[in-house]
Amino acid sequence: MSSKAYPPRSPPKHWGKRRRYPLPDASGRGRGRGRLDTERLVFQPDASLSLQRGINLIVDAVRPTLGPIPRAVAVSQALEDKPPELLDKGGLIARRISDLPDRDADMGAMLLRQMLWQLYEECGDGTATAAVIFQSITNDGLKYLAAGGNAMRLRAHLGACLDIVLDALDEMTRPISGREQLAQLAECVCHDPELAEKLGEIFDFIGEHGQLDVRRGHTRAIEHDYMKGMYWKRGAVSRAMLRGGKEPDRIVMNNCAILLSDLDIEDAKDLLPVITTLMRAGAKALLLVGDKFSETVINFILNNKEPDKFRIVAVKTPGSTDDQRRAHLSDMAVITGAIPLFKAAGDTLATAAARPNDLQGDDPAKHARPSYFGQAKQVWVERTMFGLVSDRDDQGELTEHLADLLELVEDARDKDSETFLRERIGKILGGVAILRIGDALPSRMDSRIASAKDTAKSLRRALRDGIVPGAGIALLACRAALDASPVEAGDSDARAAQRMLLRALTAPISTICQNAGFDSAKVAELNGEPPEYGIDVRSGAIVDVLEAGIIDVASVTEAALRSAVTSAALALTIDVLLHHAQPEESYTP
């Protein structure tokens, strides 16, 4: 057979290119040899089962922390020589969980983790309640969808049922008052009787907007103190300015003149007209507030040979941004009657030194110019803070300024702005308390400090929004209103949503009883009892929970319920999971 010459074959079209293999099948497994690590799709029913596994993992880790007898969760630390963290806050526990080995389950876990962390950031509490409600609705919802239910209609009916329950919660809300009730609520949040008693006394004095400064103590006891006036966290620019007082590192000046500014004070000569003006007016002390002070200016102030005749103490303008500095200056101006100097407006120290009788010319407008200096009955300055005690008799301007701030709080759209506005209101109202927390173990001291701050946040919300019966009783009592709500005949999705939420409302109290060592039959003992009666799991008795001091913050309970129901309803609509080959890394939940 004769040989025949064949032309060379052209290379395949895919040579030099990455071959694209088929997408994974419904089980999430790829097909074909040499499958590349590309995006992966997971379809039903594996998608729902995977989400459920991740959700249950997070809830099982958070569940032990619910109730007055919480069990801690140990979390290993990155450094080998450090002991594990012992946490009893659901939000913190969820935050420590990430990157589960099962990537499909990890998506469900991260969905719930995000919700719990946002709730913790907003309220500081309620995360364990939200977790068990979320789990109950999700597990029941997935069973209903597997039986042929409609996810979108179910989500809509869950939202309608949620509104009924929230209205019932609102009817149960009542105001909180008195030191004893505040201490009871504090103990329900922090489970620390000694700390709760101190916080109850403090908030009975300072109210909703008052300032609370939580510090490390120098003894093993918890101590507290009250201060007059208002203070800012900025101390003297030089420790040497505080010498000569009755206390070390603290100077007190009575009937003190005040000059407010955000100026950069660089030249000592600029201070001479200010000092001359004040000494002519008979002033003996000046609090000088500025953004920056040069070494020359600081040395000039320290070289004062006769501080008894005239003393100057300089502090930096409070605030970390220009907007915050302007806000603090405006607050101090209302308190002291001063007119602040702003570098953005072209003001200088010479502007303040120009008194009406020093101005040249016959212009009556110039002669009518007001003084830029303010006045305080008492000023105290320390290394890290300074405070004012106002002596203004006219409270009209102060009341008007406070009303403006309260209105801004109502319109605040982000948490940082609202927190900053409430701090300003607290300074103006003048209620100030310092809580010093001590302990033999530094780690336990830090834990109690963190607990005090979270509890203080809950007490402020309670004073603002009211309280409801605690230990899951408020949610359990809402079942009557939900069960009585009419459901359209033949609407299986509406009936399923109602049944799911009815069951979910019992999840918190059932979990509390289980954590305390009781079986599920304990909740059945409440049948036939008045709605305000519940189980005191510390004794096992059925009591009037409000009289027993078992209470929750109304807005926290509402936020936990709303977050759990809306997030669970959204999770039930997820049909497909998409995994990226190289997902973007993020350190936020």
Side-chain angles (χ1 to χ4, degrees), residues 465-480:
D465 304 325
I467 56 174
V468 293
I473 299 304
L475 295 175
L476 189 68
C478 292
R479 297 176 80 252

Side-chain angles (χ1 to χ4, degrees), residues 167-334:
D167 290 340
L169 267 179
D170 188 56
E171 292 179 2
M172 274 186 268
T173 302
R174 59 185 64 188
I176 187 173
S177 61
R179 170 180 173 179
E180 182 180 357
Q181 204 169 37
L182 286 165
Q184 290 171 343
L185 175 59
E187 186 173 355
C188 290
V189 176
C190 67
H191 312 298
D192 186 335
E194 183 184 6
L195 178 60
E197 183 181 356
K198 296 293 185 182
L199 287 172
E201 179 183 338
I202 286 171
F203 276 91
D204 187 38
F205 174 77
I206 67 175
E208 174 192 349
H209 298 290
Q211 290 179 265
L212 174 62
D213 187 13
V214 183
R215 305 179 183 177
R216 296 174 66 90
H218 301 293
T219 65
R220 297 185 180 185
I222 298 179
E223 302 172 339
H224 69 285
D225 193 12
Y226 301 110
M227 298 166 53
K228 293 182 179 180
M230 52 225 74
Y231 75 94
W232 289 262
K233 292 184 178 180
R234 282 290 188 274
V237 296
S238 173
R239 187 174 178 180
M241 293 181 184
L242 306 179
R243 295 172 183 167
K246 295 182 179 179
E247 303 177 42
D249 293 334
R250 177 183 172 96
I251 194 74
V252 178
M253 299 181 290
N254 297 318
N255 299 319
C256 181
I258 297 172
L259 182 58
L260 306 175
S261 76
D262 66 349
L263 304 179
D264 298 339
I265 304 175
E266 304 287 347
D267 194 345
K269 295 180 180 178
D270 296 337
L271 280 177
L272 292 175
V274 172
I275 296 172
T276 302
T277 300
L278 289 173
M279 293 188 71
R280 286 178 181 175
K284 293 186 177 181
L286 169 66
L287 177 68
L288 181 60
V289 181
D291 191 27
K292 292 181 181 179
F293 296 89
S294 67
E295 290 293 331
T296 304
V297 171
I298 294 174
N299 290 330
F300 174 76
I301 295 174
L302 294 178
N303 285 331
N304 182 9
K305 302 299 183 182
E306 297 180 333
D308 294 337
K309 292 185 178 180
F310 189 83
R311 179 186 293 274
I312 302 177
V313 178
V315 298
K316 287 190 175 182
T317 311
S320 56
T321 65
D322 290 341
D323 289 339
Q324 289 186 2
R325 282 188 281 269
R326 284 191 290 267
H328 285 308
L329 288 174
S330 66
D331 294 341
M332 285 187 276
V334 172

